[in-house]
Every structure is written in C-alpha cells, then in structure tokens.
Amino acid sequence: MNSSSGKSYMSTASSSVLWKAGGDVVADQFPAGLRVLLVDDDPTCLMILEKMLKACQYNVTKCNRAETALSMLRENRNGFDIVISDVHMPDMDGFKLLEHIGLEMDLPVIMMSADDGKNVVMKGVTHGACDYLIKPVRIEALKNIWQHVVRKRKNEWKDFEQSGSVEEGDRQPKQSEDADYSSSANEGNWKSSKRRKDDEDENDERDDTSTLKKPRVVWSVELHQQFVAAVNQLGIEKAVPKKILELMNVPGLTRENVASHLQKYRLYLRRLSGVSQHPSNLNNSFMNPQDATFGPLDLQALAATGQLPAQSLATLQAAGLGRSTAKSGIPMPLIDQRNIFSFENPKLRFGEVQQQHVNNNKQTNLLHGIPTTMEPKQLAGLHHTAQSVGNMNMPVLSHSSQSSQNNPLLMQMAQPQARGQMLNDSTVGLAPRLLSPRGQSMLSNGMATNVSTRIGVPENIRAPSYNPVSQTSSMLNFPMNHTSELPGNSFPLVSTPGISSLAPKVAFQEDVNSEIKGSVGFMPSYDIFNDLNQHKPQNWELQNVGMMFNSSQHSNSLQGNLDHTQSVLVQQGFLSGQNRNSTVISKAMFSAGDCSGHVNAQNSNQHLNSLLDNTVRVKSERVADAAPANLYPDHFGQEDLMSALLKQVGSFFSLYDTDGDIILLILTSKFPIFLQQDIIAPAENNDFDFDGYSIDNIPV
Amino acid sequence: MLGLDADRLRADLNRLLAFLFHQGILDEQYLQLQQLQDESSPNFVSEVVNIYFHESEKLLRNLRSLLMDREFSDYDKMGIHLNQFIGSSSSIGAKRVRNVCVAFRAASDQNNRAGCLRALELLEHEYCILKNKLHELFQIEQQRLLAAGVRYPMLN
C-alpha cells in the first residue's frame, strides 16, 4: 500500500487514476463510482439518465438548474469527476455553464441535446465540451464517459509537464519529478496537482513532490483578467509562466499554476482561431452607417485593413478592454483575442470602418442571441453606405467553406458563436443574414423587428425568419395546397415611399407532412414598388424573368395564378446549393389590372425583408459569372436604392413597364439557402435571357 | 384459472407491444426503459411515463397558446419548447410523437405559422394515441402482475 488510505496504484498510462467515492477509496473498481453531475431541466430525461447512470454504477447527482449545478460545483470543487449537461436550459445556456466549468473547475463536460444541428454541435466543440450526445441517450453511450475523465487528466498531466519543462528550461526539478512519476508517488502528485483537497492523506506523503502539491488555484474572473493582461503585455508568443507570474504579482500563485493555465489558455485561443476560420464565420456584408462607439474598435478596423499588426491589436485591445470590463469579465479579453484571429483574415476588405462599429454596438444583442433590431434610420443610412459597400469584395456565403470567412461580428460575441445565425443577427444595417455553416440564408435585416434566428436549425432548413416591419403588411402567405390569400396580406402596391413599401411576402404551398420537415423554404416575394406602383396596369414587359418553383404543382399554380393574380410579385428564393452558387430564381408574376395581393403559391422560403439594398451580397467576381447582362444601370433612374442595389447585387432581373421605368427587380443571390430536391438548378437561371417578354410568354 | 389469466395477459401485453412497435408508436428506446426497471425501482417505467405525460401536456398547452396568439412571432420560444418535447419523447421511445415534433420544429424554423398549426394538431393527435396505448399497456401489465401474484404468492 502506498498510503494510509489504502489506495492502489495502476501504472498503466491509461488507467493510472484513482477514484474516491463517497470518502472511501474504491480501488480498482474504476470506472465504478465515477461521480457524475447531471444537469437537465427536463424531468423526464433527468430521471431516465439518472437511472441509466446508476445502472453504470456511477455516483450520480442530479439537478435541474444550471445555477444549482454551478453552485454545487463551486462549493465542492473536488466532488465531481464529470458533468453532463443539457444544452437548452431556461436559466442558463448550457454552453455558458460549460465555459464556467471549464475555466473554474476544469472538469470534463459532456453536452447533450435533442438538437443535432451541426451548428450546435460545433458550438459544443468550440466551447470545449469533451463530447456531445444526441438524445435519446442510450445507456451504452453513458458506459464510456469515464474515458473523458481519464483523457483529461492525462492531458493535463502532460501539459503540466511540458509547460513546466519548456518554460523554465531548468530540468533539474523536473527530472526529479519525472523520476517520481514512475513510482507510486505519482498518484499523489497527480491528484494533488489536479483537484484533490489539500488535506487529503496522500499529500502528506509526497515530500519530493512538494512543488506540485499546491492547492488548486481558482482562476477567478479577476485573476484570469490579470493573467490575460500579463500575457498580452508580454505578447502571446513570448509569454512564459515565470514572467507572467511576475507581472501578475499575485501572492500564493505559483509558476505551475500559471503554466497550466497558460496551456489551457493557449488551447482556448487556438480553438477560437479555429472558430474564426470556420465557415460559420460568415462574411459580414454590411452597410453600417453607425459610427464607432468603441475606441478599441478602431483598432480592429485598422488591423483589418492591415495597418495594425495583430499582436499590437491584441495588446491594445486587452489594455483597452481590460480596463473596461464589460458585462462578463472573462469573455471580454477573450473576445479581443478572437479579434486577432478574425482580423488576420486577409480576404476581408472592409473599407468601412463603421461596419465594425455597428457590430460592436450590437454586442449586447448578440450576447443574448437576440435578433438585433435595426432602427429605421439605419435604413436610410444604408443608402449612403451602399455605394461604398458595393465595392466591397464580399466573399459571401457561396464560399461556405472558405476559411477567409470571417465575421467581425464574432468578436462581439462574448460567447464564441459558432452559430452563424448569431452572427447574422448583428448584421449591420440591412446586410443580409448569413446562416452558416452550410445552408446559408440571407435575410435582409433592415426593417426586421422580429428577427429570429434559429439555434440549431435542422439540416435542411436554413431560413432564419423574421417579420419585417412594414407598415404594409408583412405577411406570410401560407396557402396550403391552394392558392389563397392571407388576410391582411395586401400588397403594398400603394406607394409607400422608399423601403417600407417593400414587404416580403412569403408564399408557399406545401404539404405539411411531407414538406414541413424538409421544406425548401419559401419564396419571399417582394414588391419593389417605391413610386413605381402608380404605374398601374400597363403592358408590362418582363425582362429577365427567372423562375423558381419547386414542383410541377407549384408551377401549375403559378400559371393558374398568372391569369388572375392581381399582383406583381418578385420572389426570391434561395437555394441552398451545397456546392454551387445557388441562384435565386424568381418569378415575376403579374397581371394587368389592379394589384391587390394574390399571393403566388410557391414553396415557402423565407421572409426576406425586401429591401433591395440589403438582400444579396455577392462576391463581385460573381457578378460576371451570373446571368449575363443583367445590369441595366441606365434604366434605373429612380432612386439611390436602385443604384445601390445594382452595385451590390450580383445579378438580377428587372421588369420594366413600357415607359422604361423599372417596376421590379428579381434578384439572384448566390448563396445557398435551402437545399431541396425540387429547386431548379442554377444553370437554368442562366438560361433565362429575357428581353421584353410579353406576359403571355412567360415560361413556366 | 388464474395462471392462465396471467399467461393470457402476458400474451396480450406482448401483442400490444408488438403492435406499438410495428406502428412506430414506440421504438427500442422504450425497451431500454424496460430494462432499467428492476427490483429497486419496480415501477420505473410507469413513473417516467407519467412524468412525461405531465410535462408533455404542459408543453402542448404552451405550444397551443403560443400559436393561438394572433400576434405570435416568437418562433424561437416555440423551438425551445419543441426541443424539449423532442428530447423527452425520444428518450421514452415515443417515435411517432417525436417525428411530428421534428416536423413541427422544421415548420417553426421557417416561421411557417400555418404549418405549425397543422403540426400541432397532428402532434396532439399522436400524443393522444400514445397516451391511450401506454395506459392500456400499463393496465395489462398491472393485471398481469396481479394475476401472476395471486397465482404464485411466494413471488410477490
């Protein structure tokens, strides 16, 4: 026996752990007795999981609130070996809990949810969850969770070792410690350096490892901030534990503590940089008229434009933001770090410093994942910035996998948001929302008041949806299996000046059972009337009409509608071309006569806030790729809106009345929104080369 | 012939279970629950299922009141409810209910209000079926235990 408490020791690398259960040593019974903390607000799952864990012979503590769990952990730091937590909980986001636990207690945390959306799982990974289980959780999945505990301890052990030896360059004490590793003293070392209490028996016996027997340091928020400040001061590359320790000047803190924390911090940063490289970081295309409100933001913008080296940026930001600790202490400096990575993206060309600022302004919103609401003035501002933004090279959604995708919005998020939707929430002004990582849908955000983005959207559905604020009705038309008109869905053909006249209409026609699940999404339709709507029934000629329909039935209905619909619709559907540039194929339908609002029945897509200028962001080079000859600048004499649109939109079709005034635009976008089998391939879009179709010749 | 009753009831039970599996009302997760039931918790399955019913009815009420609201727009909230519903339904093996919930969630993700309404109705319908069948199941099980118990008193 190695200690008075009678522990046994297994020297195999994979299982050299010792477990204490309930105060008694459970030797050689690992993983039995593993102390699990289970957190789930759903009582059904809680009960089932508890029973399953008990069946695995684990020692289970359950609670249904994250706050309770956290306080339990804080009170009893060494009381648990692993935590299993649900993602969606009412009082605290599971990921937040995850972060807390990781930083404060450094326990392995397993996330679980019924939500298997890639975004959410990715979030779990980036937040440091060691596993992500999809409900229903089977008992077999639970039988193996002990591996995470072992793995974590092994890694910490190694990190500890490495950081100590590398940073110090003094191998003497290390060697003696190394020698100890192979002996039974190891277990004492390991445990005591990890998470055992000071007064545990085994500590007393490890004389030669006294340097390791430090009480476990709690990296509180303040301490961590000091740490980060020190690191930034030294520079991330040159930060060695010794110097950090000196800078921090915290009594009782040892170099080893700093070393292990530094290791974790480095991993965290690496993870963040991975996030920023991740396709889910969407390019923010913005037209953000707002001014910077943060001093540090200028730094970021400068860095983005290459005028500031990233390191200095980090330093400055840390200094700047470190002082003004925002809402959450820890996340703030971390955000800065993230900025480093995000702004190293060379592909970003943000001519507009302002854009960054707006993102920052939206920080609060982002933090809560609440869709940002844009004030109407932003809409106006949009016009102004439209021009400048139009020149921006927007590596947009089409490059879903580009690592260059970067969204400065990310930096706004206290919690690293792999969720593309979150990023999009903060889309400045009227920039389209980009969903990531895959199906990316675009929302124009300008008038959004009820912008909602989904968390963990199921695979096929990528439509963040929102209801635009329009004084006309922003309605979704849901004709179910027939063309119908929702009450209140009056076409805003009545001229409402400017943007507000655009009201997205979503029409779809679908079968609930078959299509709800994988429904393509709807075709938002918007009427771009502005003051064009006084051009009442005329002989409108369609030019460049693109079409999109999901199935023949839809097209039939389209045709059917053609005869009697009284409205002109511009619909924009988005394809979630997974590897293609989805083009928005839209169909304009109209009939002579008054323009009341019959909605075309199409697959419901999403609501697009039908602001012309904020809809599509396409890479400028794509404009060439797009359907040829779609720009008719000379036709647009109407407003800045139009010209702004022209600059931004990759390609579009325009509809003119006989006077040559543009009546509506059909925009093509290049990012995938929905994937669906029933969406026309983009190639077809290019086939449309209309020139003055009369209404009878609209191909369906 | 109490013994025969017990046997008959067990046959009924199995037949009902087979029917439920075949119809997709239940899936093998339910079997996992059954396996968790042991001497230390002899009523585990019915306890869990009752909790599930209780929670589900709350969720259904919430969903309905959300959708009935004319100005409803908070699809996120609905999504959260649905997530929980999906989680609990799949955890007890209620396959059809879960599938309808998933479709419901998809409609909600698209802000498809009419779709959501239809899905809700379907969900309520499926939930009723599930509840009735599970009650039936528990009844037969209880009777079987009684019959078996009487038959073999020492095994009580």
Side-chain angles (χ1 to χ4, degrees):
Chain A
M1 282 307 181
N2 300 323
S3 69
S4 54
S5 50
K7 293 178 292 297
S8 68
Y9 159 74
M10 293 181 285
S11 59
T12 59
S14 60
S15 56
S16 54
V17 293
L18 208 65
W19 299 102
K20 272 191 137 208
D24 291 331
V25 173
V26 180
D28 286 334
Q29 285 178 24
F30 179 81
L34 193 69
R35 295 162 306 164
V36 183
L37 178 62
L38 178 62
V39 190
D40 193 339
D41 64 319
D42 179 5
T44 313
C45 295
L46 200 61
M47 186 167 173
I48 295 177
L49 285 164
E50 186 198 17
K51 196 80 175 73
M52 284 183 174
L53 288 166
K54 284 192 172 144
C56 296
Q57 294 184 296
Y58 295 151
N59 192 323
V60 186
T61 312
K62 64 175 181 190
C63 54
N64 61 355
R65 283 173 55 83
E67 297 284 358
T68 320
L70 207 52
S71 56
M72 258 196 250
L73 285 167
R74 283 175 177 150
E75 280 167 30
N76 188 7
R77 239 158 236 295
N78 299 326
F80 299 100
D81 300 309
I82 189 168
V83 179
I84 302 182
S85 170
D86 189 40
V87 166
H88 298 293
M89 288 187 289
D91 60 335
M92 188 195 295
D93 184 31
F95 295 118
K96 232 198 209 153
L97 179 66
L98 170 58
E99 292 264 357
H100 278 298
I101 297 178
L103 280 167
E104 293 179 34
M105 295 118 207
D106 197 27
L107 287 172
V109 182
I110 296 180
M111 304 302 295
M112 59 175 179
S113 178
D115 196 346
D116 58 350
K118 187 172 156 201
N119 287 352
V120 198
V121 180
M122 180 63 69
K123 251 192 111 172
V125 172
T126 55
H127 281 69
C130 57
D131 203 351
Y132 191 105
L133 303 176
I134 309 282
K135 290 183 183 174
V137 179
R138 297 175 61 88
I139 194 171
E140 292 83 15
L142 295 176
K143 284 211 168 103
N144 282 333
I145 60 174
W146 57 266
Q147 59 173 296
H148 302 294
V149 187
V150 176
R151 189 178 300 120
K152 198 164 187 99
R153 295 203 169 182
K154 249 182 63 131
N155 288 340
E156 281 183 356
W157 184 231
K158 258 196 292 189
D159 288 348
F160 183 87
E161 226 180 279
Q162 287 168 3
S163 59
S165 54
V166 167
E167 259 76 35
E168 279 212 327
D170 175 4
R171 308 204 65 98
Q172 300 310 355
K174 259 317 173 176
Q175 282 171 358
S176 68
E177 292 163 6
D178 284 343
D180 290 337
Y181 299 166
S182 58
S183 78
S184 57
N186 280 353
E187 54 179 356
N189 296 348
W190 194 4
K191 282 183 0 215
S192 61
S193 64
K194 296 310 167 196
R195 61 193 82 211
R196 297 302 165 182
K197 297 185 188 117
D198 305 341
D199 52 1
E200 282 177 2
D201 294 344
E202 51 274 20
N203 288 357
D204 300 338
E205 305 182 8
R206 310 291 170 242
D207 300 326
D208 18 69
T209 60
S210 56
T211 52
L212 300 175
K213 291 187 304 171
K214 293 297 183 255
R216 181 163 170 79
V217 171
V218 175
W219 282 92
S220 65
V221 169
E222 297 80 19
L223 203 59
H224 181 76
Q225 276 186 330
Q226 284 179 282
F227 170 81
V228 173
V231 167
N232 290 332
Q233 202 173 326
L234 292 167
I236 195 75
E237 302 300 326
K238 304 193 66 183
V240 292
K242 204 168 193 178
K243 295 205 183 124
I244 298 174
L245 189 62
E246 285 164 23
L247 274 177
M248 286 177 70
N249 195 21
V250 171
L253 195 65
T254 69
R255 195 198 55 77
E256 288 83 10
N257 300 130
V258 175
S260 64
H261 197 76
L262 178 67
Q263 198 71 14
K264 275 181 260 171
Y265 187 63
R266 284 213 177 110
L267 290 172
Y268 180 84
L269 293 181
R270 247 178 262 146
R271 178 182 86 210
L272 290 179
S273 71
V275 170
S276 64
Q277 305 295 331
H278 190 270
S280 63
N281 301 353
L282 298 174
N283 187 19
N284 39 350
S285 44
F286 319 80
M287 315 213 264
N288 191 355
Q290 289 189 12
D291 293 327
T293 54
F294 281 37
L297 284 186
D298 294 322
L299 299 179
Q300 293 162 5
L302 287 175
T305 54
Q307 295 169 20
L308 263 194
Q311 291 301 330
S312 326
L313 174 64
T315 313
L316 291 166
Q317 280 183 333
L321 286 174
R323 288 189 304 265
S324 61
T325 330
K327 340 187 171 353
S328 43
I330 289 184
M332 275 312 269
L334 298 183
I335 292 176
D336 301 336
Q337 299 304 328
R338 196 185 333 197
N339 289 332
I340 300 177
F341 298 106
S342 53
F343 280 99
E344 282 171 350
N345 179 1
K347 287 214 182 160
L348 264 191
R349 295 189 241 145
F350 291 98
E352 297 278 347
V353 169
Q354 294 169 338
Q355 295 149 11
Q356 325 297 337
H357 307 323
V358 170
N359 302 335
N360 294 324
N361 291 339
K362 297 298 168 253
Q363 180 168 6
T364 50
N365 288 342
L366 293 178
L367 285 178
H368 302 293
I370 297 173
T372 48
T373 60
M374 300 293 170
E375 294 77 20
K377 71 174 167 86
Q378 292 184 356
L379 298 181
L382 201 109
H383 294 272
H384 308 301
T385 56
Q387 318 289 335
S388 48
V389 173
N391 301 330
M392 283 195 334
N393 176 17
M394 302 281 199
V396 153
L397 318 168
S398 43
H399 298 283
S400 57
S401 57
Q402 268 191 6
S403 63
S404 64
Q405 291 299 340
N406 156 347
N407 194 339
L409 296 178
L410 263 192
M411 63 195 171
Q412 306 317 322
M413 318 224 189
Q415 304 302 328
Q417 308 288 0
R419 294 189 312 207
Q421 300 91 326
M422 280 292 289
L423 308 182
N424 298 327
D425 280 346
S426 63
T427 307
V428 171
L430 312 168
R433 290 260 194 96
L434 312 178
L435 269 195
S436 68
R438 332 162 264 110
Q440 293 152 358
S441 59
M442 183 150 79
L443 294 183
S444 39
N445 194 3
M447 307 193 292
T449 50
N450 303 320
V451 180
S452 61
T453 56
R454 313 291 314 168
I455 298 177
V457 176
E459 178 89 16
N460 299 339
I461 315 298
R462 284 291 143 203
S465 47
Y466 62 100
N467 298 323
V469 176
S470 169
Q471 60 217 48
T472 60
S473 58
S474 59
M475 299 301 286
L476 301 180
N477 305 323
F478 303 103
M480 301 294 290
N481 296 322
H482 61 273
T483 317
S484 66
E485 179 181 13
L486 273 190
N489 179 31
S490 53
F491 252 43
L493 291 189
V494 181
S495 70
T496 40
I499 295 161
S500 57
S501 66
L502 307 174
K505 303 225 180 320
V506 174
F508 74 30
Q509 184 175 46
E510 62 181 28
D511 208 323
V512 170
N513 284 339
S514 60
E515 297 197 18
I516 277 184
K517 180 168 171 89
S519 66
V520 178
F522 21 87
M523 301 258 275
S525 56
Y526 38 82
D527 315 294
I528 304 172
F529 288 100
N530 303 322
D531 24 42
L532 299 175
N533 38 31
Q534 44 264 31
H535 302 284
K536 285 296 183 134
Q538 296 183 11
N539 269 344
W540 290 340
E541 295 188 343
L542 258 186
Q543 295 191 358
N544 296 338
V545 176
M547 300 252 285
M548 168 172 177
F549 25 82
N550 294 318
S551 66
S552 57
Q553 79 176 55
H554 298 301
S555 57
N556 289 341
S557 64
L558 284 180
Q559 262 176 329
N561 290 340
L562 208 53
D563 300 332
H564 61 265
T565 34
Q566 300 296 312
S567 54
V568 182
L569 298 178
V570 174
Q571 292 168 345
Q572 187 166 16
F574 295 122
L575 311 177
S576 79
Q578 278 154 346
N579 2 343
R580 59 193 180 187
N581 305 325
S582 55
T583 53
V584 171
I585 306 179
S586 33
K587 176 171 170 77
M589 292 185 15
F590 52 76
S591 59
D594 66 288
C595 305
S596 51
H598 279 275
V599 173
N600 190 15
Q602 293 245 339
N603 241 4
S604 58
N605 198 328
Q606 62 181 28
H607 305 203
L608 253 208
N609 199 358
S610 54
L611 290 174
L612 297 184
D613 34 10
N614 63 0
T615 47
V616 180
R617 295 283 172 271
V618 195
K619 199 165 192 177
S620 50
E621 46 257 40
R622 297 219 172 263
V623 176
D625 301 341
N630 290 328
L631 300 175
Y632 297 88
D634 38 330
H635 289 280
F636 297 95
Q638 298 290 337
E639 340 193 339
D640 291 345
L641 206 59
M642 294 298 183
S643 49
L645 174 66
L646 279 179
K647 290 191 182 173
Q648 294 147 23
V649 174
S651 65
F652 54 89
F653 303 114
S654 44
L655 169 72
Y656 310 96
D657 64 8
T658 47
D659 295 338
D661 293 321
I662 187 168
I663 302 218
L664 45 79
L665 290 172
I666 305 163
L667 305 170
T668 68
S669 78
K670 295 272 184 165
F671 48 75
I673 297 288
F674 292 103
L675 78 119
Q676 272 315 330
Q677 44 283 10
D678 20 288
I679 298 183
I680 286 183
E684 287 191 349
N685 192 25
N686 294 332
D687 294 337
F688 296 134
D689 190 15
F690 304 99
D691 240 12
Y693 266 89
S694 71
I695 193 172
D696 301 326
N697 294 343
I698 298 175
V700 172
Chain B
M1 314 297 277
L2 298 169
L4 278 182
D5 275 352
D7 292 337
R8 180 177 57 80
L9 285 169
R10 189 182 319 121
D12 285 346
L13 194 67
N14 291 337
R15 202 177 323 121
L16 180 55
L17 267 177
F19 169 77
L20 293 178
F21 285 123
H22 183 261
Q23 293 289 303
I25 295 176
L26 289 179
D27 64 14
E28 74 253 0
Q29 185 72 16
Y30 186 78
L31 292 178
Q32 290 231 333
L33 286 198
Q34 284 191 320
Q35 285 166 8
L36 287 173
Q37 181 163 295
D38 56 15
E39 311 79 40
S40 67
S41 53
N43 299 319
F44 174 70
V45 181
S46 62
E47 280 169 16
V48 174
V49 171
N50 282 329
I51 293 177
Y52 169 73
F53 286 154
H54 184 71
E55 288 297 310
S56 302
E57 275 148 36
K58 260 200 294 186
L59 283 173
L60 283 172
R61 279 197 296 270
N62 287 344
L63 287 169
R64 185 152 276 280
S65 68
L66 274 178
L67 276 176
M68 289 294 113
D69 179 6
R70 297 209 105 230
E71 285 106 25
F72 167 69
S73 58
D74 193 353
Y75 287 95
D76 271 350
K77 194 166 179 192
M78 201 154 68
I80 292 176
H81 286 320
L82 287 172
N83 253 324
Q84 181 175 338
F85 212 154
I86 291 174
S88 54
S89 303
S90 56
S91 296
I92 68 158
K95 188 160 84 166
R96 283 216 312 228
V97 169
R98 176 198 173 270
N99 289 344
V100 177
C101 281
V102 171
F104 195 156
R105 184 171 63 179
S108 169
D109 289 343
Q110 298 166 15
N111 284 15
N112 178 350
R113 182 144 180 249
C116 287
L117 274 166
R118 274 187 57 156
L120 176 64
E121 276 162 25
L122 203 57
L123 182 60
E124 286 166 343
H125 177 68
E126 283 298 329
Y127 174 77
C128 277
I129 293 176
L130 176 76
K131 187 166 179 181
N132 288 337
K133 288 303 173 194
L134 283 177
H135 274 156
E136 200 180 323
L137 205 63
F138 294 145
Q139 261 181 343
I140 299 178
E141 176 67 23
Q142 260 185 337
Q143 287 171 8
R144 188 187 71 82
L145 284 175
L146 275 174
V150 173
R151 175 83 167 84
Y152 304 107
M154 358 175 220
L155 295 181
N156 264 348

